[in-house]
């Protein structure tokens, strides 16, 4: 199966994380190639971390698993995002994150979302120990995917820093075609 660049794109490293997640979890006894192609025999082309690929195929795979297994897609997206974040971090990054603490790490890592999805912009409103408030903007069709994805990513970031999410409160959701956004207040504490 060929992956092409589309209007909205995901970086190959995010696809590799999804592949690792599906191949490890084996939802329904099947791995990434099946959930992406819908076929027992068709294989996905080699994914290059540095390239951009159409994000529609990324979400199509997650939707296929959710529909087939009759599971809610939102907790699944949250788990995948948390897994992806932890999977991308090697030992040295984890050590630095623990030493730097959540305020610096959250400020730096939130801006890195552009390294994975070319259609998302996040701005931070408040970032102090125990509280983070941010707004994510993107096209309307991705809002319902990215609210749980952000929660999973924040949970993973905080876990690496030695903290836990106490509350993830979506304060506002505004869906308007190309310029949709949501604002989240995240409260956390030391584990």
């Amino acid at each position: 199966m060929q992956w092409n660049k589309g209007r909205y794109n995901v970086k190959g490293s995010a696809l590799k994380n999804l592949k690792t997640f599906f191949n490890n979890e084996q939802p329904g006894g099947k791995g990434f190639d099946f959930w992406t192609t819908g076929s027992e025999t068709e294989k996905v082309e080699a994914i290059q971390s540095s390239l951009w690929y159409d994000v529609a195929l990324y979400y199509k795979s997650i939707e296929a698993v959710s529909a087939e297994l009759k599971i809610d897609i939102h907790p699944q997206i949250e788990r995948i995002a948390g897994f992806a974040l932890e999977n991308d971090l090697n030992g040295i990054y984890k050590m630095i994150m623990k030493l730097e603490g959540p305020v610096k790490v959250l400020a730096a890592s939130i801006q890195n979302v552009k390294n994975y999805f070319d259609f998302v912009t996040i701005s931070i409103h408040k970032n102090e120990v125990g509280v983070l408030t941010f707004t994510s903007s993107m096209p309307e069709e991705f809002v319902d995917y990215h609210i749980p994805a952000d929660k999973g990513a924040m949970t993973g970031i905080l876990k690496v820093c030695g903290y836990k999410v106490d509350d993830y409160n979506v304060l506002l959701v505004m869906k308007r075609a190309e310029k949709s956004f949501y604002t989240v207040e995240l409260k956390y504490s030391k584990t």
Side-chain angles (χ1 to χ4, degrees), residues 125-145:
H125 305 290
K126 182 178 186 178
N127 185 9
E128 56 190 47
V129 176
V131 180
L132 172 72
T133 306
F134 65 92
T135 297
S136 288
S137 61
M138 66 202 62
E140 180 179 14
E141 62 197 274
F142 301 113
V143 169
D144 292 334
Y145 295 127

Side-chain angles (χ1 to χ4, degrees), residues 15-29:
L15 285 171
K16 283 187 165 193
N17 285 329
L18 182 65
K19 180 178 183 174
T20 301
F21 182 84
F22 280 164
N23 286 341
N24 288 349
E25 294 276 319
Q26 290 288 309

Side-chain angles (χ1 to χ4, degrees), residues 6 17 26 31 41 58-59 67-68 80 137 145 150 153 166-167 171 173 177 180-181:
N17 285 329
Q26 290 288 309
T41 57
Y58 180 86
Y59 287 119
E68 179 79 20
I80 291 167
S137 61
Y145 295 127
D150 283 350
D166 295 324
D167 190 27
L171 302 175
V173 177
S180 295
F181 65 90

Side-chain angles (χ1 to χ4, degrees), residues 158-172:
L158 290 168
K159 182 178 174 185
V160 171
C161 292
Y163 288 75
K164 64 180 173 56
V165 172
D166 295 324
D167 190 27
Y168 185 83
N169 187 21
V170 179
L171 302 175
L172 174 68

Side-chain angles (χ1 to χ4, degrees), residues 113-131:
V113 74
K114 280 284 194 194
N115 293 338
Y116 293 95
F117 298 92
D118 70 356
F119 54 87
V120 178
T121 302
I122 299 181
S123 46
I124 298 172
H125 305 290
K126 182 178 186 178
N127 185 9
E128 56 190 47
V129 176
V131 180

Side-chain angles (χ1 to χ4, degrees), residues 73-79 81-82 142-155 168 170 182:
I73 193 169
H74 298 103
Q76 182 179 344
I77 289 173
E78 186 178 327
R79 284 183 52 233
F142 301 113
V143 169
D144 292 334
Y145 295 127
H146 281 269
I147 291 173
D150 283 350
K151 183 178 181 185
M154 298 300 157
T155 301
Y168 185 83
V170 179
Y182 55 89

